[in-house]
Amino acid sequence: MKKIIKSSIITLFALSLVFSTGCEDLFEPAIENHKVGEDLKEMPSWALGLLGHAYISNPLGSWSFNDVATDDAVSNLPSNNYRLMSTGAWSATYNPMDRWQYLRASWQYLNQFLAIVDDVHWADDPLASQLFKERFKGDAYGMRALYMYHLLLHHAGPSAADGKLLGIPIVTEPEDLYNTEFNVPRDSFEDCIKRLFADVDSAILYLPEDFGNVEKDVDVPAKYRDRGIKADVYTRIFGDNVKNRMSAKIARAIRAQAALLAASPAYSEGSGIDWEDAANYMAEALITGLGSNPVGNIDPSGGEWYKDNNAINNLKAGQNPKEILWRSNKEQNANLERDNYPPTLFGSGRINPTQNLVDAFPTINGYPINHASSNYDPNNPYANRDPRLSRYIIYNGSTAGTNNTIINTSADSPDNNGINKIETSTRTGYYLRKLMNPVVNANPSSTNNGWKYKPFIRYTELFLGYAEAANEAWGPTSDPNGHGFTAYDVVKAIRVRAGITGGDVYLESIKDDKDAMRELIRNERRLELCFEGVRFWDLRRWKVPMEKLTETAKGVRISGTTYEVIDVERRAYKEHMYYGPIPFGEVNKFSELVQNRGW
């Protein structure tokens, strides 16, 4: 069965201008801006348009706020896709998580590029041409690995036919209308992971660890210096102008994330990857990125990377803070604040943190609030809490905005910030603070924008990934492979950075208890990565009990000095929803394309 898809005939003139190869007079405009594969061999900027499409389609490029589909948040917008999805609308025909066609179409661009990259005239200098070729190939392989990871996140699952864990159809050659058979089965999850790892290996082979100018020949990385490459040629190909493109460090991090997914309970039986593999890959990504003592190099301000407006403004193109491995370009706006600030700060209050999440923050001494030693006071619930609570969530009595306005979320609030006052009020008694830039004034008549960027990969996520995998593989305090740090070391460093005081007696009390440490690590992921689109996937890859997946989202109704926990939104997930579906339209068209079980 054949299917019409985007052919190799492309219109990419505008896109190609974004991507510079450092070569002069790379192309002459044709009478019509339509090119096929053979034409592109002498038109490198046009050929780069194929690779450029991978960045336009980057699945990490925008905030999803799929936290609304978990126990961490709800939305006050009735039409919010994740709200509808989590309350019963999720199906193979209605899937806000669908990435099947979008990412596979972009995968096709990468395959088209890899098919011609060796034949394109990248530069007159043979050495420079070879280095351009290697850089672009490594870039394409790394981005294809990223796409595979996200396609597996969204669509891998057990076959409806026999329960075998499946991924996607692995396609590594360009498809065309006349010669391609499109009715092909999905490959196994294990084979998809192997393909991802192979693409990462290729990216590492072809790419430097980082990009950046070098002034002296001796500073050229050894893998290039040993080939006789001088500083001027290296800088031309791998210099500052291509920072924040796919690098060997980024590719290693993608492999580590994929290994963590593959080792997790929902996927481990069909992946060929275990916790030790995942821990080793995470350690490699951290050591390569931050040096031989990564825990000692943890960014002290990494938990609030979004907050310092001046620091973000002063970031040079491609420059990253210590917390960030990969990010978007910075931009100046007030979009997040307009969407999420309380009504009196000219916001729409869209994302409402839940009482469930608030209760997950320990007290200042590190104990969970339900522990006898926590000193938690239910009549004064926000006192003596983990400082991350006030950093990430606006609760009753918090101040927010450029004028430090007191926010009253109570039922008897005199303004529209109170719970359920108007359509833009909170439904839970809480508003979102995390990700907000404190210099922003969202008032439409006197807007003050703030500088922002979207992190693609944060080192904190990798640290916590290592802690999880290492704890499962070797226990909290063991380091049999000599990485130089343990799961316990990571958790301790993150909680010290958070502001836990008193020596963190709770952590010390469980440092030899693998099961208790597992729960603590999972909770630290919940806190550190909240509202960054991580928990939805965590709950599923952990295959938490169904009662946890369907836990009712709760809020708090405050009246005077009374705090009443209330049910806000029930979840309607079913057993098969640990995994997402293949789009119904695709399964309906292709007989070989097997749906995931239950969909």
Side-chain angles (χ1 to χ4, degrees):
M1 179 186 298
K2 306 295 187 194
K3 171 190 172 189
I4 297 176
I5 62 168
K6 294 180 180 179
S7 73
S8 59
I9 301 174
I10 55 174
T11 305
L12 289 166
F13 177 76
L15 177 61
S16 68
L17 299 180
V18 179
F19 301 95
S20 170
T21 65
C23 309
E24 295 181 359
D25 299 322
L26 288 177
F27 66 92
E28 294 292 337
I31 295 175
E32 293 186 5
N33 291 329
H34 300 286
K35 303 297 165 191
V36 295
E38 197 66 29
D39 299 322
L40 300 178
K41 294 178 181 179
E42 294 301 323
M43 304 180 73
S45 284
W46 287 71
L48 273 181
L50 293 167
L51 180 56
H53 198 280
Y55 284 87
I56 292 174
S57 304
N58 187 339
L60 299 168
S62 60
W63 296 110
S64 74
F65 291 115
N66 60 31
D67 310 74
V68 167
T70 76
D71 52 355
D72 275 3
V74 301
S75 176
N76 63 16
L77 184 66
S79 61
N80 180 281
N81 286 332
Y82 299 122
R83 177 175 174 176
L84 295 173
M85 169 187 165
S86 65
T87 53
W90 197 11
S91 71
T93 56
Y94 179 80
N95 181 15
M97 297 297 185
D98 183 11
R99 300 295 183 273
W100 184 268
Q101 291 172 306
Y102 183 63
L103 292 185
R104 293 185 73 228
S106 296
W107 182 298
Q108 160 76 344
Y109 284 106
L110 291 171
N111 286 345
Q112 288 176 324
F113 179 77
L114 287 167
I116 65 168
V117 61
D118 286 332
D119 299 320
V120 175
H121 180 77
W122 296 112
D124 290 336
D125 174 13
L127 180 57
S129 185
Q130 177 62 26
L131 291 180
F132 275 125
K133 183 190 306 181
E134 292 179 12
R135 192 191 102 197
F136 298 144
K137 286 172 73 172
D139 200 339
Y141 282 121
M143 292 302 289
R144 198 166 72 176
L146 176 70
Y147 280 12
M148 175 67 86
Y149 172 54
H150 282 269
L151 281 163
L152 294 178
L153 265 182
H154 290 80
H155 297 291
S159 164
D162 57 13
K164 181 179 180 181
L165 191 62
L166 300 179
I168 66 169
I170 299 174
V171 179
T172 58
E173 299 295 330
E175 298 169 292
D176 67 70
L177 178 60
Y178 305 105
N179 302 302
T180 300
E181 174 58 62
F182 294 99
N183 188 20
V184 294
R186 298 161 63 193
D187 286 279
S188 71
F189 184 90
E190 182 174 4
D191 284 345
C192 288
I193 289 291
K194 288 178 180 177
R195 178 70 265 166
L196 186 156
F197 282 13
D199 281 349
V200 168
D201 288 340
S202 295
I204 293 171
L205 174 66
Y206 290 124
L207 293 172
E209 295 300 325
D210 274 322
F211 296 107
N213 293 352
V214 296
E215 301 297 329
K216 300 177 182 178
D217 293 343
V218 70
D219 294 327
V220 173
K223 72 186 263 188
Y224 298 101
R225 188 173 65 249
D226 293 346
R227 295 166 59 184
I229 296 168
K230 304 297 184 182
D232 59 338
V233 176
Y234 180 86
T235 295
R236 177 185 177 189
I237 316 300
F238 302 112
D240 289 348
N241 63 315
V242 289
K243 280 186 173 181
N244 255 338
R245 296 292 291 262
M246 177 61 61
S247 67
K249 283 183 181 179
I250 294 169
R252 285 189 173 91
I254 293 167
R255 178 173 61 190
Q257 291 174 321
L260 186 72
L261 178 75
S264 299
Y267 301 95
S268 59
E269 291 185 6
S271 71
I273 301 294
D274 61 21
W275 287 118
E276 183 169 3
D277 296 325
N280 289 334
Y281 284 129
M282 282 289 177
E284 181 183 351
L286 287 166
I287 292 168
T288 305
L290 294 175
S292 59
N293 180 26
V295 175
N297 285 325
I298 193 169
D299 187 347
S301 60
E304 293 183 283
W305 47 267
Y306 52 86
K307 189 175 179 181
D308 191 333
N309 188 70
N310 288 333
I312 298 173
N313 183 25
N314 291 330
L315 283 175
K316 297 178 181 178
Q319 180 185 11
N320 289 327
K322 188 184 292 186
E323 170 64 14
I324 305 300
L325 172 58
W326 196 23
R327 66 173 176 87
S328 70
N329 293 329
K330 66 182 183 182
E331 57 184 359
Q332 196 175 22
N333 60 57
N335 296 338
L336 285 174
E337 292 76 14
R338 286 196 190 98
D339 283 346
N340 296 295
Y341 262 165
T344 61
L345 297 181
F346 304 95
S348 297
R350 292 302 184 211
I351 306 301
N352 305 156
T354 59
Q355 186 67 44
N356 316 55
L357 175 59
V358 170
D359 287 346
F361 289 87
T363 51
I364 189 68
N365 62 13
Y367 282 95
I369 64 170
N370 59 1
H371 195 284
S373 299
S374 69
N375 298 319
Y376 172 70
D377 181 0
N379 295 312
N380 191 12
Y382 311 124
N384 300 313
R385 298 293 292 276
D386 181 330
R388 289 174 292 189
L389 175 59
S390 61
R391 292 173 193 158
Y392 297 162
I393 294 174
I394 296 172
Y395 49 77
N396 189 54
S398 295
T399 60
T402 54
N403 294 323
N404 290 319
T405 302
I406 296 176
I407 307 301
N408 187 331
T409 68
S410 69
D412 48 8
S413 172
D415 56 44
N416 289 331
N417 294 334
I419 188 170
N420 292 323
K421 287 280 187 173
I422 58 174
E423 65 274 12
T424 56
S425 302
T426 176
R427 299 171 64 208
T428 62
Y430 301 103
Y431 292 98
L432 178 64
R433 189 192 299 277
K434 188 177 181 182
L435 311 181
M436 306 298 113
N437 187 323
V439 308
V440 168
N441 181 348
N443 187 335
S445 64
S446 57
T447 301
N448 184 54
N449 292 317
W451 285 102
K452 299 166 187 174
Y453 58 82
K454 168 70 167 61
F456 297 157
I457 300 176
R458 289 176 56 203
Y459 277 109
T460 294
E461 182 181 351
L462 301 182
F463 274 121
L464 289 167
Y466 172 81
E468 179 184 341
N471 182 63
E472 299 295 343
W474 311 307
T477 58
S478 182
D479 177 27
N481 290 352
H483 296 309
F485 55 103
T486 66
Y488 161 80
D489 294 330
V490 167
V491 175
K492 181 177 180 179
I494 288 175
R495 281 163 69 91
V496 166
R497 181 179 75 180
I500 301 298
T501 62
D504 203 347
V505 180
Y506 178 69
L507 174 62
E508 296 305 315
S509 72
I510 66 165
K511 64 185 294 184
D512 296 316
D513 185 332
K514 179 178 178 178
D515 293 337
M517 185 65 81
R518 176 188 303 118
E519 294 309 308
L520 181 57
I521 291 168
R522 289 184 177 186
N523 197 65
E524 285 296 312
R525 282 185 68 88
R526 183 179 192 178
L527 305 185
E528 286 284 334
L529 305 176
C530 62
F531 309 110
E532 296 184 46
V534 174
R535 186 161 177 80
F536 180 87
W537 307 114
D538 278 353
L539 292 172
R540 283 160 174 77
R541 68 179 178 84
W542 293 333
K543 218 162 189 183
V544 298
M546 184 52 59
E547 57 266 27
K548 179 62 179 174
L549 202 62
T550 58
E551 182 178 300
T552 298
K554 297 181 180 296
V556 62
R557 188 179 189 277
I558 304 171
S559 181
T561 60
T562 301
Y563 295 80
E564 178 192 1
V565 175
I566 58 173
D567 290 348
V568 176
E569 192 170 273
R570 297 189 182 278
R571 300 288 183 243
Y573 295 119
K574 298 178 181 178
E575 191 71 29
H576 62 278
M577 293 178 177
Y578 289 107
Y579 311 91
I582 308 301
F584 173 79
E586 295 298 290
V587 174
N588 197 39
K589 281 185 287 190
F590 301 122
S591 60
E592 292 293 323
L593 197 61
V594 178
Q595 180 61 276
N596 287 333
R597 187 168 53 205
W599 293 100

